[in-house]
Amino acid sequence: MTALREQVAALQREKAELQLLLELTSEHSDSITEELRDLTQQLQKHATQLEVSSQVGQQMTSLLNLAELLPQVSKEIQTRFGYYYVGVWLLEGLREEVVLQASSQNHAQGLLIPGASLPLDADKSIVAHVCRTGQPYHTDDVRVSDEYLGIKELPDTRSELTLPLRLGYKFLGALDIQSEHEAAFTSEDVRLLQSLADQIAIAIRNAQLYAQIVQLNAELEDKVQERTQELETAYRRLELLDRNKSDFIQVVSHELRTPLTLIRGYSQLLLRKPLVQEDETYGQLADGIVAGANRLHEIVDTMLDMVKIDSQMLTLAVERLSLAELLASLHNKLNESLLQRNLTLMIADLDPLPWIEADPVSLDKVFTHLLTNAIKYTPDGGRITVSGRFLEMPEQTGGFVEIVIRDTGIGIAPEFQELIFTKFYQTGEVSLHSSGKTKFKGGGAGLGLSIARGLVEAHGGRIWVESAGHDEEICPGSQFHVVLPVSRAGA
Ligand code: ADP
């Protein structure tokens, strides 16, 4: 019996111990569960914060427009983290004031309007304080903060975290976050929000740089447009001037032609008069008039040629011709000038060249201009050679013929080798030119090469010059190349 009682007592003790243990365990498990719940909540909050922070960061880097970026940044931080108010302030006006760029709050009573500004040296303002010092400012209870200004639009603010927006040592402004709860910002929050503020600073800088580039681009475009317009106006004015000049030349040359023809006719009549033929002085005078009238006639004809080329009124009377014959006849025509100037003209055997389809009058003019130039720009005793070759081109009907006129003259500087083919272009000082058709450096109207190019191109050919440069002592010489199609079908 005693043993049974003892056993029951032992069992009861054991039960009491177990109960105590059970009570202890369940008490402990509650606190563990609570701790676990707390930890899980913290972890969850942290994970959400991290996720939000990374999403906000991503959105920011894709926005390059400040006007879009800052409202979005403040809204995202305020709504996603559930704060009372978030504002972005930037330093402006030579960094003497801070201006609210964008804000977001969880209530609609008295919205803070972007554009509000604060002097940087304001006595009471957490934002001005942060922008001045470049240091974060954190208060768990704004009511005890010396820096807190307090504004009527945010009556419920209890704690505030203001972070500098900085890029290295450069402060751009501040990110101001307010909560209606006391001590709302843990040290973890501060760390996370500061890293977000650093990303915002980079995004702001990117957007500012982008805005600068856009502005620069716009300014450049404006400038280009302005210059293009100026150029167009100048071009139109030049076109008009050119047209006026061509019209003037056309009128003058037409007007000159008739009296010139009369002078030429009458002076030739005069030459035949016995009185003039018998008197040496009269004869010389009449010869002079005839020569002068002929030269003037040539000049007027050259001007008319130019007008025709310019106004595209040129018509070619094409026939099959031999360049060998054409150049030989020119040789005869120029013999007197060559003799006067003691120059040798050597024309290579051009008979093997194919006959070409071209306008003989035009080509006569082309080679006359080139040969008289060669005479004019080669000092006495020099040499002019003409050579030719056939250029066979399988894909071109008939191929081309190339004629090269070489002289041992003063040559042409590279910078003028294209310009001399423009009308009225003459190198050197025009007033220093001596007059006379074939005198050394004799002046002309500056039209010869321009007409030659116009006529050659009208045949579908090409003309250009090669020269080692201009030197009146060494005389490097020039080579004028003329390439003409053999048949009109090849032009
Ligand atoms: P111009 O009536 O002045 O001869 P051109 O149009 O025939 O006009 O020639 C233009 C300019 O080209 C000349 O003023 C001259 O300076 C240069 N030029 C032409 N041919 C030669 C040449 N064979 N050697 C050197 N310079 C030349």
Side-chain angles (χ1 to χ4, degrees):
M1 199 56 194
T2 328
L4 193 65
R5 212 174 291 128
E6 270 174 13
Q7 236 176 341
V8 169
L11 274 173
Q12 273 172 341
R13 264 198 315 278
E14 213 168 303
K15 185 186 163 200
E17 270 170 26
L18 271 174
Q19 236 163 2
L20 188 70
L21 201 67
L22 202 68
E23 268 166 32
L24 271 175
T25 319
S26 78
E27 224 170 73
H28 209 60
S29 100
D30 275 356
S31 77
I32 286 177
T33 317
E34 218 165 280
E35 214 168 296
L36 259 177
R37 202 182 314 120
D38 274 1
L39 267 174
T40 316
Q41 264 176 358
Q42 269 181 32
L43 265 176
Q44 244 164 11
K45 183 181 164 201
H46 195 57
T48 319
Q49 281 180 334
L50 276 177
E51 196 194 322
V52 170
S53 147
S54 112
Q55 281 171 359
V56 173
Q58 260 176 13
Q59 278 174 351
M60 278 181 323
T61 41
S62 61
L63 273 182
L64 281 172
N65 181 352
L66 262 192
E68 267 182 69
L69 171 79
L70 300 181
Q72 186 145 340
V73 160
S74 42
K75 188 161 178 42
E76 286 287 314
I77 299 177
Q78 186 263 311
T79 53
R80 306 282 296 262
F81 290 98
Y83 291 125
Y84 178 55
Y85 157 89
V86 171
V88 180
W89 296 75
L90 291 186
L91 280 157
E92 273 187 16
L94 293 172
R95 310 178 76 78
E96 275 160 10
E97 56 175 11
V98 262
V99 179
L100 179 68
Q101 307 292 326
S103 66
S104 176
Q105 55 204 61
N106 69 357
H107 58 286
Q109 41 175 286
L111 291 174
L112 262 178
I113 308 295
S117 68
L118 280 169
L120 189 61
D121 56 6
D123 284 346
K124 241 180 175 330
S125 157
I126 294 180
V127 168
H129 172 85
V130 169
C131 288
R132 239 180 0 249
T133 59
Q135 296 300 321
Y137 188 94
H138 175 199
T139 170
D140 283 339
D141 187 349
V142 288
R143 287 167 297 194
V144 297
S145 160
D146 289 341
E147 303 292 341
Y148 183 66
L149 173 65
I151 48 170
K152 64 175 183 338
E153 288 88 351
L154 302 168
D156 299 331
T157 300
R158 287 296 166 268
S159 52
E160 182 164 352
L161 172 65
T162 308
L163 298 163
L165 294 170
R166 62 185 175 212
L167 261 182
Y169 292 107
K170 197 174 155 88
F171 297 113
L172 306 178
L175 173 68
D176 184 30
I177 308 166
Q178 302 183 14
S179 165
E180 62 269 69
H181 306 294
E182 277 174 32
F185 305 98
T186 64
S187 56
E188 192 58 42
D189 292 343
V190 175
R191 250 201 314 278
L192 187 102
L193 288 164
Q194 181 62 65
S195 98
L196 206 52
D198 291 345
Q199 287 187 63
I200 295 171
I202 294 172
I204 290 174
R205 193 74 198 123
N206 284 347
Q208 284 173 339
L209 287 175
Y210 181 72
Q212 276 175 19
I213 290 174
V214 169
Q215 195 190 338
L216 261 176
N217 238 352
E219 280 172 13
L220 263 179
E221 256 171 43
D222 282 354
K223 275 226 170 81
V224 168
Q225 237 172 5
E226 216 175 279
R227 292 279 176 280
T228 315
Q229 234 160 19
E230 280 172 17
L231 273 176
E232 268 171 14
T233 316
Y235 181 73
R236 269 197 296 275
R237 208 175 312 135
L238 278 177
E239 247 184 354
L240 188 72
L241 275 175
D242 196 49
R243 213 173 320 129
N244 287 347
K245 199 166 66 180
S246 295
D247 289 352
F248 174 74
I249 293 168
Q250 188 171 13
V251 171
V252 168
S253 35
H254 273 299
E255 290 301 314
L256 282 178
R257 223 168 181 235
T258 322
L260 259 179
T261 313
L262 283 177
I263 296 172
R264 207 156 62 144
Y266 286 135
S267 57
Q268 272 159 358
L269 269 182
L270 209 62
L271 264 183
R272 280 189 232 127
K273 290 283 170 197
L275 188 70
V276 175
Q277 284 181 342
E278 283 154 20
D279 187 309
E280 204 184 318
T281 319
Y282 285 159
Q284 278 173 356
L285 291 176
D287 274 343
I289 298 172
V290 172
N294 283 343
R295 177 80 188 110
L296 262 177
H297 220 275
E298 272 173 21
I299 294 171
V300 169
D301 277 351
T302 310
M303 288 183 171
L304 282 171
D305 283 342
M306 190 69 250
V307 171
K308 271 191 221 152
I309 291 170
D310 259 4
S311 55
Q312 292 168 345
M313 306 264 283
L314 190 74
T315 45
L316 300 178
V318 176
E319 58 187 67
R320 276 173 64 73
L321 62 88
S322 149
L323 283 170
E325 277 177 22
L326 191 139
L327 283 157
S329 94
L330 271 180
H331 193 170
N332 283 336
K333 262 209 275 182
L334 294 170
N335 238 342
E336 205 184 313
S337 312
L338 290 163
L339 277 173
Q340 274 168 12
R341 298 279 326 283
N342 188 24
L343 295 168
T344 321
L345 171 62
M346 302 258 298
I347 302 184
D349 182 11
L350 301 178
D351 281 332
L353 290 183
W355 284 40
I356 66 168
E357 289 175 6
D359 173 18
V361 178
S362 297
L363 289 197
D364 188 286
K365 284 177 184 165
V366 169
F367 291 109
T368 302
H369 285 305
L370 293 180
L371 287 169
T372 44
N373 275 349
I375 295 172
K376 268 201 303 190
Y377 299 105
T378 304
D380 293 12
R383 185 196 188 50
I384 301 160
T385 49
V386 178
S387 58
R389 61 180 179 142
F390 174 56
L391 305 171
E392 203 175 357
M393 298 206 181
E395 70 277 14
Q396 298 280 345
T397 337
F400 289 84
V401 167
E402 179 180 33
I403 302 289
V404 182
I405 298 173
R406 285 190 174 75
D407 62 47
T408 56
I410 57 176
I412 303 160
E415 63 269 31
F416 296 127
Q417 289 175 10
E418 198 42 46
L419 279 175
I420 54 171
F421 288 96
T422 51
K423 46 177 188 210
F424 300 113
Y425 192 85
Q426 300 180 319
T427 56
E429 182 68 58
V430 175
S431 60
L432 297 180
H433 285 172
S434 58
S435 61
K437 193 177 163 190
T438 51
K439 272 192 177 169
F440 180 48
K441 297 205 284 171
L447 288 174
L449 289 180
S450 163
I451 290 174
R453 177 166 274 180
L455 294 173
V456 169
E457 286 178 355
H459 281 83
R462 259 181 15 95
I463 178 170
W464 71 96
V465 68
E466 285 168 12
S467 171
H470 176 92
D471 192 320
E472 299 193 12
E473 296 288 309
I474 299 169
C475 285
S478 314
Q479 301 97 53
F480 281 83
H481 296 246
V482 177
V483 172
L484 291 161
V486 170
S487 89
R488 294 294 294 149

